[in-house]
Amino acid sequence: MKNTLIGLAAAISALGASAMALHAQTPARNVWDGVFTADQAAQGKALFDAKCATCHGADLNGQEMAPPLSGGIFLGNWSGQAAGDLFTRIHTTMPGNDPGSLNNAETAQVLSYILSFNKFPAGAAPLPTDDAALAAITITAEKPAGK
Ligand code: HEC
């Protein structure tokens, strides 16, 4: 019994250590750091115009039932959340008339366009599509000090 408990404790601390190692591989980033490429945003604009603009408006200001995807209300909804949460929201529920029809790369492009439209800067590396990397990118409406 005692050995089992010690084994369990060792397994739990090993788990903790590997979780920390994983964390170290995906450094925390912020949407102000340049987390997508200009190329992704350009491809995302074409997708947005074809698949999202009918409901959300070509200038992302929303109409009827579809909320704005730019400006204070939108950023207020998402500020403090991870880019991964917004990615999942789009990937699983949008477009409203054909949910789940965008693949990972397309979702990343359309999200890059939305970020770019909201004046977040493009960078050298593409927006990732894997959960851990997306979860490590925080959306903040205001530019953090020192960025
Ligand atoms: C048929 C109309 C329609 C289309 C097309 C559509 N949406 Fe939506 N979208 C909505 C509606 C309605 C809501 C709010 C209700 C809901 O969540 O279903 C919404 C909500 C959202 C939200 C959540 C906004 C927030 O701040 O909570 C995002 C993000 C979004 N849409 C992105 C997209 C993207 C990206 C596309 C294109 C790939 C798209 N939508 C296409 C109707 C649409």
Side-chain angles (χ1 to χ4, degrees), residues 31-50:
V31 282
W32 293 92
D33 292 332
V35 296
F36 58 88
T37 63
D39 209 41
Q40 274 181 312
Q43 287 167 311
K45 178 180 175 11
L47 269 171
F48 190 92
D49 288 346

Side-chain angles (χ1 to χ4, degrees), residues 49-84:
D49 288 346
K51 304 201 167 182
C52 320
T54 42
C55 292
H56 290 280
D59 48 3
L60 282 68
N61 60 347
Q63 51 195 15
E64 295 176 26
M65 302 292 290
L69 301 180
S70 68
I73 294 175
F74 175 72
L75 291 175
N77 283 347
W78 294 96
S79 201
Q81 298 201 57

Side-chain angles (χ1 to χ4, degrees), residues 62-141:
Q63 51 195 15
E64 295 176 26
M65 302 292 290
L69 301 180
S70 68
I73 294 175
F74 175 72
L75 291 175
N77 283 347
W78 294 96
S79 201
Q81 298 201 57
D85 296 327
L86 185 48
F87 184 99
T88 302
R89 175 75 154 94
I90 295 169
H91 197 201
T92 57
T93 73
M94 292 293 136
N97 50 4
D98 194 10
S101 58
L102 299 184
N103 65 29
N104 282 338
E106 290 168 333
T107 305
Q109 288 162 2
V110 115
L111 178 53
S112 297
Y113 175 59
I114 293 171
L115 292 174
S116 151
F117 194 95
N118 281 280
K119 306 271 188 279
F120 297 112
L127 187 70
T129 57
D130 72 284
D131 293 344
L134 280 167
I137 302 172
T138 306
I139 299 170
T140 52

